[in-house]
Amino acid sequence: MIMGAVAVTLVAASAILTCTAVFFRYVLNAALSWPEEVVGFLLVWLSFAGAYLALRRDAHISFGMLVDAMPPNDWLAGAEVA
C-alpha cells in the first residue's frame, strides 16, 4: 500500500514539475534548467515502483502461449529462474 502511494506521489510530482517548467518557460519567459532532469529521475523511480507493485500483484507481462506450450516440469524450472 505504501508503494502505491509512493507511485502516485511520483506521478503527481512529475506532472507538477512539468507544468511548472512550462509556466516558467512560456508565461514568465524564464526557463528553469533543473525540472527536466528531476522529472527524468522521477520517471526512473516510478518505473522501479511500478515494477515492484507488478511483482507483488503478480501482474508482470508474461508470454502465455510460451508458458502454455511448455511441459509442466520445464515451466516450474523456468518459474524458479525468473
Side-chain angles (χ1 to χ4, degrees):
M1 198 66 185
I2 293 173
M3 285 304 288
V6 168
V8 168
T9 304
L10 290 172
V11 170
S14 296
I16 290 169
L17 281 175
T18 301
C19 291
T20 302
V22 169
F23 177 78
F24 270 82
R25 178 171 298 202
Y26 293 110
V27 175
L28 300 180
N29 203 18
L32 299 173
S33 61
W34 56 270
E36 293 176 16
E37 297 284 334
V38 173
V39 169
F41 286 121
L42 290 176
L43 290 176
V44 169
W45 281 104
L46 180 62
S47 67
F48 287 139
Y52 173 80
L53 289 171
L55 179 67
R56 297 293 281 172
R57 297 177 183 171
D58 198 25
H60 273 290
I61 297 172
S62 64
F63 297 96
M65 289 176 49
L66 180 64
V67 172
D68 291 341
M70 294 174 69
N73 292 337
D74 292 340
W75 184 84
L76 290 174
E80 290 178 8
V81 171

